[in-house]
């Protein structure tokens, strides 16, 4: 069983460690973080903790790089000798594969985009691989990423859009759930009941679409009866700009991904 290092075990990195533990991963797990006291809970569960990124990379077969995009270059240079020939899965948003390969050409890079639902092992994680990642490597990567929720291999050209849609998606859905909760409060529901029913309705609808493979429009039609309550509510929604707002949000977030990537590459060139 491969040993795994999680470099930068903050929110996402820490959630990856928890997901591996919950799924009974049998290999050794090493977690790093500058504030090592934040990792004490993992140490009690059998995870090796350290502030030494080189040590973690040297003693692992697969390395999760869970640092901020602006820190990718610095950390890669720090561990460059320890990751040659190894699989490196980076969760840093916007950073393209060729950026990693220029820094450590002999490592095998996977660019992954999970979302915050990794905290409950329900992330949608899109990923793409560089040309040195073998079929056997891809099977290992997919097995590990599926411990975080569900994963899907995509072409790299889709990664910025995926980042804007599913990576940032929990933010959009949280706004919708919050709006539904306040709607419940407005019509007299207790706060806890309103929030719980709103969140479960979103969860259940998503599961319904995934398991039935039906188009959302069909699900909508299934609950819409002539002269009923749902059509009255839908009439109000269609008069709003909710569709346009969501589409514009994803479009602008995608553009921002590209701007950030350009800034990271330009900053790296200026320091080289």
């Amino acid at each position: 069983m491969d040993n795994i290092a999680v470099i930068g075990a903050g929110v996402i990195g820490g959630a990856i460690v928890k997901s591996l533990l919950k799924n009974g991963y049998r290999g050794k797990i090493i977690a790093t973080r500058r504030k090592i006291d934040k990792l004490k809970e993992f140490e009690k569960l059998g995870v090796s903790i350290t502030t030494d990124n080189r040590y973690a990379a040297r003693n692992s077969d697969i390395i999760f790089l869970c640092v901020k995009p602006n820190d990718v270059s610095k950390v890669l240079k720090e561990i460059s000798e320890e990751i040659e020939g190894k699989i490196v899965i980076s969760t840093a948003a916007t950073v393209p594969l060729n950026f990693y390969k220029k820094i450590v050409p002999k490592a095998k890079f996977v660019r992954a985009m999970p979302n915050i639902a990794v905290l409950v092992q329900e992330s949608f994680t899109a990923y793409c691989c560089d040309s040195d990642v073998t079929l056997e490597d891809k099977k290992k990567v997919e097995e590990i990423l599926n411990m975080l929720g569900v994963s899907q291999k995509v072409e790299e050209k889709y990664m910025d859009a995926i980042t804007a849609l599913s990576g940032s998606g929990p933010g959009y859905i949280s706004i919708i759930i919050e709006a539904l909760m306040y709607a419940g409060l407005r019509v007299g529901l207790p706060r806890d009941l309103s929030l719980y029913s709103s969140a479960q309705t979103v969860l259940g609808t998503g599961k319904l679409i995934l398991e039935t493979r039906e188009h959302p429009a069909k699900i909508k039609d299934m609950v819409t009866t002539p002269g009923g309550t749902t059509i009255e509510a839908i009439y109000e929604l269609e008069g709003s700009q909710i569709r346009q707002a969501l589409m514009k949000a994803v479009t602008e977030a995608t553009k921002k991904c590209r701007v950030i990537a350009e800034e990271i590459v330009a900053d790296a060139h200026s320091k080289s």
Side-chain angles (χ1 to χ4, degrees), residues 35-271:
K35 296 181 180 178
I36 198 167
D37 57 299
K38 300 282 188 180
L39 302 179
K40 292 296 183 182
E41 61 172 312
F42 294 143
E43 188 176 34
K44 294 175 184 177
L45 297 172
V47 176
S48 296
I49 64 172
T50 180
T51 58
D52 190 338
N53 293 334
R54 289 177 181 169
Y55 168 83
R58 186 183 313 119
N59 290 280
S60 299
D61 308 293
I62 298 172
I63 296 91
F64 271 95
L65 190 62
C66 303
V67 300
K68 295 178 180 178
N70 288 330
D71 292 331
V72 165
S73 179
K74 179 182 69 175
V75 175
L76 276 183
K77 289 175 181 176
E78 177 188 1
I79 63 174
S80 59
E81 293 181 5
E82 283 76 24
I83 62 175
E84 288 189 358
K86 297 180 180 180
I87 300 170
V88 180
I89 305 171
S90 175
T91 64
T94 75
V95 182
L97 287 172
N98 60 14
F99 184 84
Y100 300 102
K101 295 297 281 186
K102 286 179 181 178
I103 299 173
V104 192
K106 294 182 180 179
K108 296 183 281 188
F109 288 101
V110 177
R111 177 182 173 185
M113 188 66 248
N115 62 34
I116 196 65
V118 69
L119 286 165
V120 289
Q121 296 77 56
E122 288 292 349
S123 173
F124 174 76
T125 305
Y127 70 96
C128 58
C129 308
D130 75 37
S131 57
D132 292 324
V133 178
T134 66
L135 184 60
E136 182 181 353
D137 293 332
K138 290 174 184 175
K139 289 179 180 178
K140 288 181 181 180
V141 169
E142 187 170 326
E143 182 179 349
I144 292 169
L145 293 181
N146 282 343
M147 292 183 183
L148 315 183
V150 296
S151 66
Q152 185 171 330
K153 184 176 178 295
V154 302
E155 295 178 50
E156 187 173 21
K157 65 181 181 180
Y158 296 129
M159 288 298 290
D160 286 340
I162 283 288
T163 300
L165 180 62
S166 65
S168 300
Y172 318 146
I173 300 302
S174 292
I175 290 173
I176 291 171
I177 291 173
E178 184 181 43
L180 288 171
M181 180 196 73
Y182 282 123
L185 295 181
R186 190 180 184 199
V187 293
L189 290 180
R191 184 176 296 271
D192 288 349
L193 175 58
S194 188
L195 176 57
Y196 183 83
S197 61
S198 298
Q200 180 60 40
T201 298
V202 171
L203 173 64
T205 305
K207 188 173 182 180
L208 184 62
I209 291 169
L210 288 172
E211 293 194 3
T212 64
R213 299 290 179 178
E214 294 288 1
H215 192 281
K218 186 167 183 180
I219 303 299
K220 180 181 68 176
D221 286 345
M222 288 168 63
V223 297
T224 305
T225 55
T229 57
T230 305
I231 189 61
E232 195 69 25
I234 288 175
Y235 177 80
E236 292 296 326
L237 285 173
E238 293 293 1
S240 72
Q241 296 182 330
I242 186 169
R243 292 176 187 263
Q244 181 182 0
L246 285 169
M247 287 188 279
K248 188 173 181 180
V250 174
T251 300
E252 292 304 312
T254 302
K255 291 178 182 177
K256 184 65 173 180
C257 285
R258 292 164 185 162
V259 169
I260 293 172
E262 290 170 1
E263 290 174 347
I264 290 170
V265 171
D267 185 56
H269 284 321
S270 68
K271 292 178 180 178

